[in-house]
């Protein structure tokens, strides 16, 4: 096991009606805030009205900035930074999913500097501070509600890039599983795929003696595998949403990579795909991850066998470990199909004409290889994308 320091400071407020506490939670930090959200789902569901009522009751004033798109864009971040500076706002409240939250984190960093926040995303300088943010989460997926990262897309060149730092952990996140009932099935499936991916990125490590966190990750994967089909079958199943929502947060709040070194190549490759084609992050991962697995399988077949046996209940074939491992991958693909996702680039409407471009962009600048489990150069990335056709 690697040395580690673990501190996740995000206060989680979980359960029914918890969004009514958002005003009180916010007022601890500022009474003049930016209220940031997406394309309108929070208005349709009535959540927006409840959040506004709670803010008002707590004496919090706000400036609003809606319109965050999935794969959130830099131009709206710039608009948010401008509003924060112009009105002297001291806090950002994101209501929505990973996109609204990541956009809020970007604005929070941009609001405390003179230059362009995009520089941090391309490795020009490192951020060291940000306005405090809080969230009301409406989809179990990205884990941004309790992560120290943000992913933004720059429309100029369609580059999707991530940056992180401990000052980006939200001060609080409100998780009411009832808010998920309005999610379209496709978004539910994308969220489940993303949660699985966050777990698998951590699971496939070269670090040895990580038996305890192996077991935690396996338990979290099994939870997603069991609960995602339940919420798809019955969107009113509060108990199943509760399990899935909490699993989604734990999957990405850094607890499960304590003492480990995760891989993250599949995420980086997916960011190239969604950067160019604007596909949903989870849908992209359902395509990239199985292909990555097929490509790196022989690097540590025993780890794949362990995963197949423990997570997917594959019967161990001691004479043919590869068959056992491949059956695990087949069951992962079957799970994605069962929840309504495709596992090929073609299923996303993507053909192979820009594979080389994505592979090259993925290793541009100082990122000459991707991943840690196996280090991938641009040729390897192109091979993986071709396996995903
Ligand atoms: O925009 P609105 O109208 O709110 O609709 C959203 C959006 O269309 C809708 N939605 C969300 N909650 C809903 C709802 N519709 C009805 N009822 C609800 N309760 O769902 C759509 C997707 O929302 P989005 O916020 O984009 O989803 P997600 O949470 O999956 O976030 C994806 C983004 O997070 C990034 C991804 O790259 C992607 O840009 N990630 C962020 C990470 C982080 N900061 O730690 C880690 C992840 O690996 C990921 O990369
Ligand atoms: Zn993800």
């Amino acid at each position: 096991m690697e040395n580690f320091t673990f501190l996740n400071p995000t206060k989680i407020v979980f359960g029914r009606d918890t969004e009514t506490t958002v005003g009180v939670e916010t007022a601890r930090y500022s009474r003049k805030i930016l209220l940031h959200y997406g394309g309108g789902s929070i208005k349709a569901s009535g959540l927006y009205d409840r959040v506004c009522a709670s803010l008002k009751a707590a004496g919090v004033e706000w400036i609003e900035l809606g319109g965050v798109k999935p794969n959130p864009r830099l131009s709206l971040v710039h608009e948010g930074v401008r509003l924060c500076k112009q009105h002297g706002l001291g806090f950002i409240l994101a209501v929505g999913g990973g996109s609204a939250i990541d956009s809020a984190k970007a604005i929070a960093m941009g609001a405390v500097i003179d230059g362009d926040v995009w520089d941090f995303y391309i490795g020009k300088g490192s951020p060291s501070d940000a306005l405090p943010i809080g969230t009301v989460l409406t989809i179990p997926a990205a884990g941004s509600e309790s992560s120290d990262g943000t992913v933004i897309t720059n429309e100029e060149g369609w580059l999707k890039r991530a940056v992180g730092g401990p000052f980006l952990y939200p001060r609080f996140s409100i998780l009411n599983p009832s808010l998920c009932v309005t999610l379209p099935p496709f978004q539910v499936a994308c969220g489940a795929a993303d949660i699985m991916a966050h777990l698998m990125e951590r699971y496939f490590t070269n670090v040895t003696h990580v038996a305890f966190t192996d077991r935690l990750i396996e338990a979290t994967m099994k939870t997603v595998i069991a609960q995602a089909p339940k919420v798809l079958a019955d969107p009113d199943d509060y108990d199943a949403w509760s399990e899935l929502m909490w699993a989604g947060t734990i999957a990405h709040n850094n607890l499960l990579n304590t003492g480990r070194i995760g891989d993250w190549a599949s995420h980086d490759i997916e960011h190239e795909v969604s950067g160019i084609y604007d596909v949903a992050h989870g849908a992209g991962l359902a395509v990239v991850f199985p292909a990555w697995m097929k490509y790196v399988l022989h690097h540590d077949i025993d780890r794949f066998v362990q995963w197949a046996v423990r997570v997917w209940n594959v019967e161990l074939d001691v004479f043919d470990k590869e068959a056992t491992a491949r059956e695990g991958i087949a069951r992962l693909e079957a799970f994605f199909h069962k929840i309504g996702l495709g596992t090929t680039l073609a299923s996303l409407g993507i053909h192979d004409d820009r594979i080389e471009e994505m592979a090259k962009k993925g290793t541009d600048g100082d990122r000459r290889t991707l991943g840690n489990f196996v280090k991938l150069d641009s040729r390897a990335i192109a091979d993986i994308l071709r396996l995903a056709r």
Side-chain angles (χ1 to χ4, degrees), residues 142-200:
S144 188
E145 68 277 8
S146 184
S147 84
D148 58 356
T150 151
V151 192
I152 293 292
T153 298
N154 186 342
E155 304 95 312
E156 276 178 35
W158 294 103
L159 270 191
K160 185 174 179 181
R161 290 288 179 267
V163 73
F167 43 85
L168 288 180
Y169 283 112
R171 297 299 204 273
F172 65 81
S173 281
I174 294 176
L175 276 59
N176 175 356
S178 313
L179 300 178
C180 305
V181 302
T182 52
L183 276 165
F186 175 69
Q187 293 299 340
V188 176
C190 289
D194 194 16
I195 299 169
M196 284 299 285
H198 295 160
L199 296 163
M200 296 185 298

Side-chain angles (χ1 to χ4, degrees), residues 10-61:
T10 303
K11 174 180 180 180
I12 302 291
V13 185
F14 190 99
R16 287 189 171 94
D17 301 325
T18 44
E19 67 274 18
T20 57
T21 66
V22 69
V24 173
E25 294 296 341
T26 301
R28 295 184 213 283
Y29 299 96
S30 175
R31 289 184 191 269
K32 236 179 133 185
I33 71 158
L34 184 74
L35 174 58
H36 199 39
Y37 53 89
S41 74
I42 68 162
K43 290 198 171 162
S45 68
L47 174 61
Y48 171 85
D49 293 333
R50 295 199 296 283
V51 166
C52 291
S54 176
L55 291 174
K56 212 177 257 176
V60 176
E61 291 176 3

Side-chain angles (χ1 to χ4, degrees), residues 167-383:
F167 43 85
L168 288 180
Y169 283 112
R171 297 299 204 273
F172 65 81
S173 281
I174 294 176
L175 276 59
N176 175 356
S178 313
L179 300 178
C180 305
V181 302
T182 52
L183 276 165
F186 175 69
Q187 293 299 340
V188 176
C190 289
D194 194 16
I195 299 169
M196 284 299 285
H198 295 160
L199 296 163
M200 296 185 298
E201 298 281 17
R202 290 173 166 92
Y203 196 78
F204 291 95
T205 182
N206 295 320
V207 180
T208 54
H209 305 291
V210 286
F212 171 57
T213 42
D214 271 359
R215 289 296 193 182
L216 292 179
I217 298 171
E218 289 157 6
T220 317
M221 289 194 226
K222 279 177 164 287
T223 301
V224 177
I225 294 162
Q227 304 299 331
K230 282 195 193 171
V231 301
L232 284 165
D234 177 8
D236 291 324
D237 188 340
Y238 177 86
D239 298 323
W241 278 120
S242 302
E243 305 279 1
L244 190 62
M245 203 171 206
W246 188 221
T249 299
I250 293 296
H252 202 49
N253 81 345
N254 283 334
L255 173 67
L256 300 189
N257 50 277
T258 44
R260 314 171 70 96
I261 297 170
D263 183 65
W264 300 102
S266 298
H267 261 74
D268 284 337
I269 297 171
E270 194 290 323
H271 288 167
E272 297 311 319
V273 177
S274 53
I276 290 183
Y277 293 99
D278 201 20
V279 298
H281 173 60
L285 286 166
V287 169
V288 172
F289 230 114
W292 173 85
M293 288 180 158
K294 290 169 197 165
Y295 189 84
V296 303
L297 186 62
H298 294 285
H299 174 70
D300 184 352
I301 194 96
D302 290 334
R303 183 145 280 276
F304 276 93
V305 167
Q306 176 181 302
W307 173 74
V309 170
R310 291 186 184 175
V311 177
W312 298 103
N313 306 319
V314 177
E315 202 176 323
L316 173 63
D317 183 342
V318 281
F319 301 108
D320 192 349
K321 287 182 179 178
E322 181 173 342
T324 306
R326 285 196 186 276
E327 179 57 24
I329 299 170
R331 291 191 190 184
L332 172 68
E333 289 178 311
F335 169 72
F336 287 149
H337 296 155
K338 178 174 161 182
I339 62 174
L341 296 175
T343 50
T344 60
L345 286 171
S347 71
L348 298 175
I350 296 173
H351 304 291
D352 53 6
D353 49 320
R354 295 179 80 178
I355 282 181
E356 299 297 335
E357 180 189 341
M358 288 188 275
K360 198 172 163 302
K361 270 171 102 180
T363 51
D364 265 358
D366 56 357
R367 311 196 310 167
R368 296 215 326 261
T369 62
L370 298 184
N372 294 308
F373 187 63
V374 175
K375 295 206 181 296
L376 306 171
D377 59 15
S378 65
R379 233 183 47 199
I381 297 166
D383 285 343

